[in-house]
Amino acid sequence: MAKQETINRLIDTHEERIIGVLKKLEDDIIAELTKSTQGGVNLTTQLAIQLRPNLKTLIEQNYLKEADALVSEYDQIIKEYQDLIRPLPIPTRFKTLTKPDLKIINDLKYLSFSGFEDIANSFLDTIANEVYQSAVIGKPFNQMVKNIRGAINGVYQRSNEDAINRLVSYIEKNKYSDNASIIARVKQARETLHSKYASDVLGENMRKYASQIAHDSIMQFDGQFTKYKGDEAGITSFKYTGTNITTTRDFCRRNLNRVFTEEEARDVWANQSWRGKSGTDPFVNRGGYRCRHSFIPFDPEWESLLEE
């Protein structure tokens, strides 16, 4: 299905672009702190406060600039939605399904971008507080730098150790593989990073949330737009669509291509549990974190029309 292929491509490329931007952001912030404090020699509480606007600018110029570019590409989802819906034998009473709605599209884009902004603001506080606290207690500059790198990229932070860099490179190269043996090796590489090299690095970091929202924001945009178009046309049933891969949840595998009424879907999502479930709204949460399945408006009578 072309729509699913487009969504998969956007997810993969957007995550890669966010990860690349965060690597540059990490380098830019450390370079700014090194220059402004002369390697920590001149770090004072007053300077730490003065550095916050500089840190904010770096986050805006790197991370938020890229986030804005990513959200602008959500138009491709709308195009694929229209290409998917247009050939269906849709009666004239449902004709609004094929019409774009610029206002709702822009509103949903704004909502998506606000998710990226929330992450930016949260980690600006984290990084600025680390700088200030380091000035207060006289923390060694190298320790402050390590903590900030960890806050941005976690166990994937820049390192001088070749073994760490090799593991990170292997994970980045193979993280989207459908091959079971490669998936197992990637999992082992991640476990090694955490256990052997990152026992003192917190799991909460900008990369973790930014890459997740790069994925989930696309799927939520698609789900919210689809639900809006269904409501607008008066359709109350939706088909659960997508593809099966090695890591597909059993719940999604069982329900793939099933047509739900909205009431049925909401009942299932509210009352059933499964691995990786992330919420109770079927159109927003779908199968759970990082799920690539989605709903499309689908009236049961179209099945017989398609067979004619």
Side-chain angles (χ1 to χ4, degrees):
M1 183 188 297
K3 178 172 177 281
Q4 188 64 45
E5 290 174 358
T6 295
I7 286 176
N8 289 345
R9 176 178 53 76
L10 287 175
I11 289 172
D12 292 345
T13 57
H14 285 195
E15 285 195 42
E16 289 176 2
R17 285 163 60 181
I18 281 292
I19 288 170
V21 161
L22 292 182
K23 288 179 180 177
K24 183 177 183 299
L25 176 62
E26 179 186 329
D27 290 342
D28 287 355
I29 286 178
I30 299 308
E32 171 66 21
L33 293 174
T34 302
K35 178 182 177 182
S36 299
T37 68
Q38 294 188 347
V41 174
N42 296 331
L43 181 58
T44 63
T45 54
Q46 182 179 2
L47 179 56
I49 293 172
Q50 293 172 350
L51 282 170
R52 184 184 177 95
N54 300 27
L55 298 173
K56 184 173 186 288
T57 297
L58 289 174
I59 290 174
E60 290 172 345
Q61 291 176 342
N62 286 278
Y63 173 68
L64 287 181
K65 181 180 179 181
E66 185 65 21
D68 184 60
L70 299 184
V71 172
S72 71
E73 294 182 3
Y74 292 3
D75 287 339
Q76 296 177 41
I77 299 174
I78 304 301
K79 179 182 181 301
E80 292 297 345
Y81 164 84
Q82 291 176 310
D83 289 346
L84 175 67
I85 291 293
R86 195 173 291 114
L88 293 176
I90 299 175
T92 54
R93 68 180 184 277
F94 295 141
K95 63 182 179 180
T96 58
L97 281 174
T98 61
K99 294 182 178 179
D101 188 319
L102 294 180
K103 184 180 184 304
I104 192 65
I105 291 170
N106 288 331
D107 287 347
L108 290 175
K109 283 183 177 180
Y110 177 81
L111 183 62
S112 297
F113 184 74
S114 68
F116 288 96
E117 283 186 312
D118 289 343
I119 292 173
N121 292 332
S122 175
F123 282 93
L124 170 61
D125 288 342
T126 298
I127 295 166
N129 288 340
E130 174 65 31
V131 176
Y132 184 81
Q133 291 170 9
S134 296
V136 169
I137 66 176
K139 184 183 296 181
F141 183 74
N142 288 343
Q143 183 60 50
M144 180 187 77
V145 166
K146 183 177 181 182
N147 290 349
I148 291 173
R149 289 188 185 279
I152 298 172
N153 282 310
V155 297
Y156 300 95
Q157 63 186 274
R158 301 286 196 185
S159 174
N160 293 324
E161 295 188 42
D162 290 340
I164 294 178
N165 292 330
R166 282 197 299 270
L167 285 171
V168 170
S169 177
Y170 182 81
I171 293 169
E172 297 288 5
K173 181 180 178 181
N174 295 287
K175 62 184 177 180
Y176 298 121
S177 174
D178 291 338
N179 183 289
S181 62
I182 293 178
I183 290 172
R185 288 196 289 271
V186 168
K187 180 181 179 182
Q188 181 60 51
R190 286 196 174 109
E191 290 173 352
T192 301
L193 270 179
H194 282 275
S195 62
K196 187 173 181 180
Y197 297 112
S199 59
D200 58 341
V201 175
L202 294 175
E204 306 306 307
N205 56 76
M206 192 172 182
R207 171 181 165 132
K208 172 184 175 182
Y209 292 105
S211 60
Q212 181 170 307
I213 199 171
H215 174 290
D216 289 349
S217 180
I218 289 172
M219 297 306 301
Q220 288 169 7
F221 176 88
D222 175 63
Q224 290 163 338
F225 179 75
T226 296
K227 180 62 167 60
Y228 168 79
K229 296 303 290 184
D231 289 346
E232 183 184 42
I235 292 178
T236 58
S237 56
F238 301 82
K239 178 180 280 191
Y240 195 54
T241 65
T243 55
N244 283 325
I245 59 174
T246 306
T247 56
T248 295
R249 293 178 174 90
D250 289 340
F251 171 83
C252 294
R253 201 179 298 275
R254 289 196 307 271
N255 288 292
L256 191 61
N257 294 320
R258 175 180 169 183
V259 177
F260 293 84
T261 65
E262 179 178 351
E263 183 179 0
E264 288 170 342
R266 292 198 181 281
D267 180 67
V268 168
W269 263 257
N271 296 303
Q272 292 188 19
S273 297
W274 59 86
R275 179 179 58 84
K277 181 180 179 181
S278 61
T280 59
D281 190 319
F283 302 98
V284 174
N285 303 121
R286 308 165 320 284
Y289 295 112
R290 296 187 175 276
C291 176
R292 298 193 180 190
H293 296 100
S294 59
F295 284 95
I296 60 169
F298 199 89
D299 192 275
E301 70 181 59
W302 299 350
E303 293 282 9
S304 58
L305 291 174
L306 284 169
E307 294 171 358
E308 292 179 358

